Every structure is written in structure tokens, then in C-alpha cells.
Amino acid sequence: MESSRAARRRARRFPRRPLMYTALACVTVVGATAGGTVYVKARAHSGSTVVSSAATPAVSSSSAATPAVSSSSAATPAVSSSSATTTEEAAMAEPVVDLDERLADAMTSVGVTGEQKVSTAVLDLESGDSAVHGDGAFDTASIVKVDILAALLLRHQEAGTRLSAREKAYATTMIENSDNASASALWDAIGRAAGLDAANETFGLTGTEGGDGALWGLTLTTAADQLILLQQVFGDDSKLSEASRSYVQGLMGRIEADQQWGVSAAADGSGWALKNGWLPRSTTGLWDVNSIGRVSVDGRAYLVAVLSNGNSTQAKGISLVEAAAKAAVSVFTAGDASASASANATSAAAR
């Protein structure tokens, strides 16, 4: 079954939104006369530090001694005083910071051993800038439960109805406790893979494919697609209503204590909302371990998705996911993107 599903995988890169650092260089003429000096200063738009300063003679000393015009016109300045003291030209310099490359650099310090594979994606909710590392498709395991609930809420919105009491009970245990029986009930309610795929088309996910039959945990997805799903839950530009978004966010913020690992490791304090997934594969004896959610660092919110497989144990998968989540957030929070990931390499190897 896995080989046929692998042939249908559709991995897609998340649209890159590179961070642009814009510097406005202003060329100012401080003074210019027949025998004077022109000073050119370029300053960064974001500060007052002088980027460059050069003194350039306007004319040679010989030409200063020998007027190039008649005495009658010598009294007329070659450059008007107004133009000599105003900005002559401005050039916009826009060096591009490749956030994908920065994330790739950070991920080099994340310990990946044996058959482990990992992909991660991060988005700064305030700026909209994002980065993705890896574009392979991974089994979702239980992180698909967020997608199932989003699809159910979308169906009710389109029908103009509300969740039933039974559906609310299923949704609560499915997200907060990762209850599989509840997930199976709601998987059936949305029409299984066909219903999930239809909702994901509306949401804008293009690299996710619902699992066969009752196997919702074998839905295939990419880190980039999970970032799009998280935007549907936590972003303002969403197909879900504000009430629906708040409902999912609330459940993801009340994950039971023994499941509070994963991307939450990248948050400071309790500023997180998440859903984890873990699945031992009977065909390989290795573990799929995934985590998606929103974290807060210094009052700023980030969406993070980390997918992994080939882990020899669940504990090693958790360590890998947490190190990758910290590396992802460090793209925006650390001057050296690899510092955060490096700090976690030792703990990842110890588990």
C-alpha cells in the first residue's frame, strides 16, 4: 500500500516570502563652489550611522586658479545654492535575505541520525515572512486531526449549521487527548479522504492527500502544506470564520500534559497551541513523529510545522522535532540561525 501511495505524493514548496531589508541611500551635496569640496554621505534608512563618506574635489587646483568664464559671469555660482544643499538623487538598495537558506543553515546543527528524515516550515505571523526546509511528503499520524476538525467546521459553515453536541465531544477528545476513536468518527462525518481533500482544496493545500479508507493517520502531507493549514486556523485571511478559528485554537491550547512536547519547545513560557502526531510503522519498526502549532517568543507569534520519520524510538523523534522547531524559530529570533539548533544537539543525541 505504501508504494502505491508514494507514487501519488504531491509535494509542494510553500511560496517563499523573503525578508527584505531596504536601505535608502541619500546622496547629499553639502557644498559646491569653483574651488570647493563635495561630500557624499550615504546613510541607512533605518538609522543614522554613516555608511560611506568621501571628500572629492569638485575641480582641480589649476582650474580653480584660472576662471573658465568671463569676469562678468564669474559672480554667478556654477551650482545654485538651493541645488547644492538639497538631495540630488536617492537609490533604493534591496539586498534579499534568503530565509530558506538561513533555515537550511540552522538545520545543519540539528542531529539527524540513522534513517531519520525531517522537514520543517516556519512563518512569522506579523510580517508574513516564511521559510521551508525539505519538501518531501510524510505520514501525518495524529496531526491530521486538526485538518479533520477544520474540514468539519467548513462543512457546517457552508451548510449554515453548527456542530452537534456529539461532534463537539468528539472534537474535544480528538484534539486535547488525541483520541483515535473520536478521530475515526469525525473522519467518517466529513466523508473520509474525499471530504478532507475537498476541504483542503478550499484551504489551498496542494501537497496533502487523505489516507485510504479508514486510515486517516496515513494521510500524506508536507511541512509547507501544514503551514498553510495553520494559517487557516491562526491567520486572519482564512476560509474559516472567526468563531471556528477561535474554537480550534482553544482546543489546541489545552493539550493534555503528557502531550505537551514538540513545537512548544520553541516557545517562551506557556505561549503555545499545538497538535502532535506519533505512529510506529509496522512495516519498518520506525516511528513517525510530527508537531504543528503556534508559539510565542518575546511577544511575537510564529507558526511552526515539523514532520519526521525513520525514528528508532518515539523519544528520539520527539528530540528531533523539538530541535528542529527551535532551529526554525531561530531564523527570526537569533542573529546566528544555527545557534539555537546547536544548543539542542546534545540533548537530542542523549535521548
Side-chain angles (χ1 to χ4, degrees):
M1 178 182 72
E2 288 184 286
S3 61
S4 63
R5 290 174 54 72
R8 289 152 43 206
R9 294 180 177 181
R10 296 169 290 131
R12 183 186 64 81
R13 296 282 294 172
F14 189 78
R16 185 182 305 170
R17 300 177 184 172
L19 186 63
M20 308 292 288
Y21 292 105
T22 304
L24 177 61
C26 298
V27 180
T28 307
V29 179
V30 176
T33 64
T37 302
V38 177
Y39 290 89
V40 180
K41 294 184 179 181
R43 297 179 181 271
H45 183 66
S46 59
S48 58
T49 304
V50 175
V51 178
S52 63
S53 179
T56 306
V59 291
S60 67
S61 58
S62 61
S63 61
T66 305
V69 293
S70 64
S71 59
S72 60
S73 61
T76 303
V79 181
S80 68
S81 59
S82 60
S83 63
T85 57
T86 59
T87 300
E88 295 285 344
E89 60 184 79
M92 295 297 292
E94 299 182 343
V96 176
V97 176
D98 189 329
L99 294 178
D100 286 356
E101 183 177 344
R102 181 176 287 182
L103 177 54
D105 289 343
M107 290 295 292
T108 60
S109 297
V110 175
V112 178
T113 61
E115 297 184 53
Q116 287 180 317
K117 294 180 181 178
V118 63
S119 180
T120 187
V122 60
L123 182 142
D124 181 340
L125 269 175
E126 183 174 324
S127 69
D129 294 317
S130 65
V132 177
H133 176 72
D135 58 3
F138 293 73
D139 299 322
T140 58
S142 286
I143 63 169
V144 75
K145 292 169 181 176
V146 174
D147 205 359
I148 292 172
L149 180 54
L152 180 66
L153 290 167
L154 182 64
R155 287 170 69 92
H156 277 286
Q157 283 180 202
E158 293 173 343
T161 56
R162 298 182 179 182
L163 295 181
S164 67
R166 182 180 294 255
E167 287 173 332
K168 286 183 178 181
Y170 284 147
T172 298
T173 56
M174 178 178 72
I175 301 298
E176 293 184 8
N177 311 112
S178 203
D179 181 70
N180 291 338
S182 297
S184 293
L186 296 184
W187 177 249
D188 290 340
I190 66 170
R192 296 191 170 186
L196 187 78
D197 293 345
N200 284 340
E201 184 175 357
T202 299
F203 293 145
L205 281 67
T206 61
T208 301
E209 182 179 3
D212 291 336
L215 302 178
W216 45 261
L218 295 185
T219 294
L220 290 172
T221 194
T222 65
D225 258 18
Q226 288 303 299
L227 209 57
I228 295 173
L229 177 63
L230 288 171
Q231 285 183 282
Q232 292 297 309
V233 174
F234 295 100
D236 294 329
D237 184 13
S238 172
K239 300 298 182 180
L240 295 176
S241 67
E242 183 177 355
S244 293
R245 298 196 306 273
S246 295
Y247 179 65
V248 183
Q249 291 170 22
L251 296 178
M252 293 177 70
R254 295 191 294 269
I255 300 299
E256 67 177 48
D258 65 350
Q259 296 177 25
Q260 293 178 13
W261 48 265
V263 297
S264 57
D268 56 1
S270 60
W272 54 261
L274 63 82
K275 183 70 191 81
N276 297 322
W278 58 99
L279 177 67
R281 297 308 312 273
S282 59
T283 54
T284 63
L286 301 175
W287 286 74
D288 298 331
V289 180
N290 308 317
S291 185
I292 61 172
R294 178 187 63 188
V295 300
S296 296
V297 181
D298 295 329
R300 200 173 181 105
Y302 303 93
L303 303 181
V304 186
V306 183
L307 310 178
S308 77
N309 60 29
N311 300 288
S312 58
T313 66
Q314 182 185 8
K316 287 187 179 295
I318 291 173
S319 293
L320 175 62
V321 164
E322 291 184 344
K326 291 180 180 181
V329 173
S330 77
V331 167
F332 296 101
T333 61
D336 180 2
S338 64
S340 179
S342 180
N344 293 284
T346 302
S347 62
R351 294 206 185 188

